[in-house]
Amino acid sequence: MIYLDNAATTFPKPESVYKALDSYARNSLANPGRAGHKMALASEHTLADGRHRLNQFFNGKGPERFIFTLNCTDALNMAIKGVLKPGDHVITSDMEHNSMSRPLRALELAGVIEWTRIPSDGQGSIDPQTVAKAITPKTRLVGISHGSNVVGTTQPIEEIGKITREKNVLFLVDAAQTAGVLPIDVQAANIDLMALPGHKGLFAPTGVGVLYVAPGVHVNPWREGGTGGDSSSETQPKDYPYFLEGGTPNVLGVAGLIAGLQWVQEQGLKKIHQHEVELVERLWKHLDEIGQFTIVGHRDMSRRVGTLSFFTEALPAAEIGGILDQAFDIAIRPGLHCAPYIHKAFKSYPDGLVRVSPGPFNTEADIDLLAGALKEILA
């Protein structure tokens, strides 16, 4: 199979990740504990090692501020429901994933919060000044996806973070599409909360994510339970990261995350990003030549990640995806991509778009074969 659905989950993983997972599962997979036997201590060390690496990679304010979660959705829910109070006002954009939008919409419908979705321009970009103008005295949180999972557009989080810091508003960044692809400095961007998955740009297996919580930001616990150390407290221990990590974490996933992060650092973010956007540009040129496709989003490769979405009046997106899968053994992602507000903004709702998202292991030949298949389908 030619796999071009890396915006959903990267595949394949680097060989070093597979080896790390196999070795860890066979030799070290115990319940982490700070006062247990050797294997328990080894598992605890793996968690600590992962936090230190993440803290260095994202320039955090302490390894204990990196909370291991189930995935990016889990991290976003923890952040949103952990900081908002009745009467708060929240600002997002129409470029958000359902993992950001659905929790907020549920709170809005319940009468807990007020919610403003600022519009993007015709190419998927958000004007930071539009964010500034939307802030009110009740605004508690601004939540922005760093990179769109549909059109690939990246947002100026440094400029938005400067505004939120000046206005004393919390800044939440959804880094699902950019962590491991673009540099992110949480201090330089004034990020208070950042959610990211392990299974995308950091090449971990599914089932592990991260929530960064800056010092001074209080997040109520999403779950409460065992912490592997303090068993005497009647409520969740207040020290980080255990305050937000009730229950047994996915230590195997963290071991894979460490191996994936090491691989990303060896390759370099610039190399990974350049390779992916060059493949996107190659596909874009093919589609221009075919001439029957409409592509959404802008073409400035310095302001996007390696994701390209398009449609044709000839066939619905879902049908194109099915034909590519069944007849050509090419995996792409058709539909609404868990982001209905984006599709409404681009007038592609409810049928959706064809999304192609190459990764580091894809080649120019993969893109050429996809283009040939699309041309044949239309013919």
Side-chain angles (χ1 to χ4, degrees):
M1 173 178 283
I2 296 175
Y3 184 85
L4 292 164
D5 191 23
N6 290 274
T9 293
T10 50
F11 179 85
K13 308 299 183 186
E15 186 62 26
S16 56
V17 173
Y18 294 126
K19 289 180 178 179
L21 290 170
D22 181 72
S23 176
Y24 199 89
R26 293 178 187 276
N27 302 303
S28 305
L29 193 56
N31 203 310
R34 283 162 281 161
H37 49 79
K38 292 179 181 179
M39 286 182 66
L41 292 172
S43 291
E44 186 69 31
H45 174 74
T46 298
L47 298 178
D49 184 28
R51 294 187 222 280
H52 278 283
R53 292 176 183 272
L54 289 166
N55 186 57
Q56 293 173 352
F57 191 69
F58 294 109
N59 192 29
K61 289 192 173 182
E64 75 282 358
R65 310 309 298 185
F66 287 84
I67 312 301
F68 290 119
T69 65
L70 300 176
N71 42 49
C72 191
T73 298
D74 190 41
L76 286 168
N77 272 269
M78 289 171 64
I80 291 168
K81 298 174 183 178
V83 302
L84 294 180
K85 301 175 182 178
D88 284 343
H89 174 238
V90 180
I91 299 170
T92 65
S93 76
D94 59 10
M95 301 299 291
E96 308 308 318
H97 189 276
N98 272 339
S99 296
M100 179 86 78
S101 300
R102 281 180 169 169
L104 292 171
R105 179 59 174 154
L107 290 171
E108 182 186 40
L109 289 173
V112 177
I113 65 165
E114 296 177 3
W115 179 29
T116 298
R117 289 193 309 278
I118 60 174
S120 58
D121 64 15
Q123 296 181 322
S125 295
I126 299 168
D127 182 354
Q129 291 307 311
T130 306
V131 176
K133 292 176 183 178
I135 294 175
T136 75
K138 290 185 177 181
T139 304
R140 169 74 169 161
L141 179 72
V142 171
I144 297 293
S145 290
H146 189 196
S148 168
N149 72 309
V150 179
V151 298
T153 304
T154 57
Q155 308 302 341
I157 57 173
E158 293 82 5
E159 295 177 48
I160 297 172
K162 182 179 179 181
I163 292 169
T164 57
R165 184 57 50 90
E166 291 173 351
K167 299 288 187 178
N168 196 29
V169 173
L170 293 176
F171 186 29
L172 166 63
V173 171
D174 176 357
Q177 299 299 321
T178 54
V181 178
L182 294 175
I184 301 174
D185 185 324
V186 296
Q187 295 193 56
N190 293 307
I191 295 172
D192 298 297
L193 299 154
M194 181 174 70
L196 58 99
H199 65 98
K200 298 188 182 183
L202 296 179
F203 296 96
T206 54
V208 62
V210 177
L211 173 65
Y212 172 74
V213 182
V217 178
H218 178 75
V219 180
N220 290 319
W222 173 248
R223 64 181 68 86
E224 297 165 286
T227 53
D230 181 357
S231 298
S232 62
S233 299
E234 293 184 322
T235 59
Q236 199 71 5
K238 302 300 183 184
D239 54 322
Y240 273 65
Y242 310 106
F243 182 57
L244 298 176
E245 278 190 6
T248 301
N250 181 2
V251 190
L252 180 62
V254 174
L257 177 65
I258 292 171
L261 181 55
Q262 286 179 302
W263 185 86
V264 167
Q265 291 176 306
E266 291 167 1
Q267 298 298 309
L269 293 175
K270 184 177 180 180
K271 177 183 176 181
I272 292 172
H273 180 242
Q274 182 175 345
H275 175 74
E276 293 178 356
V277 296
E278 284 179 352
L279 293 180
V280 163
E281 177 61 24
R282 187 177 186 89
L283 177 59
W284 201 316
K285 290 179 180 178
H286 279 303
L287 297 180
D288 285 342
E289 293 171 1
I290 296 171
Q292 298 184 55
F293 292 99
T294 299
I295 302 167
V296 299
H298 60 67
R299 202 163 183 165
D300 183 353
M301 294 298 158
S302 67
R303 298 167 54 208
R304 62 181 299 131
V305 290
T307 295
L308 189 68
S309 294
F310 52 89
F311 70 93
T312 174
E313 299 293 343
L315 285 172
E319 190 168 343
I320 292 174
I323 296 171
L324 286 172
D325 181 37
Q326 297 298 317
F328 296 94
D329 208 20
I330 298 174
I332 56 91
R333 175 78 179 270
L336 296 177
H337 314 100
C338 301
Y341 297 110
I342 297 178
H343 287 275
K344 289 177 180 178
F346 282 96
K347 312 299 182 186
S348 54
Y349 184 90
D351 294 330
L353 299 165
V354 176
R355 184 185 73 185
V356 178
S357 50
F361 298 104
N362 287 115
T363 64
E364 292 182 351
D366 292 340
I367 298 301
D368 295 344
L369 286 168
L370 169 63
L374 290 170
K375 186 175 183 179
E376 185 175 337
I377 290 170
L378 291 185

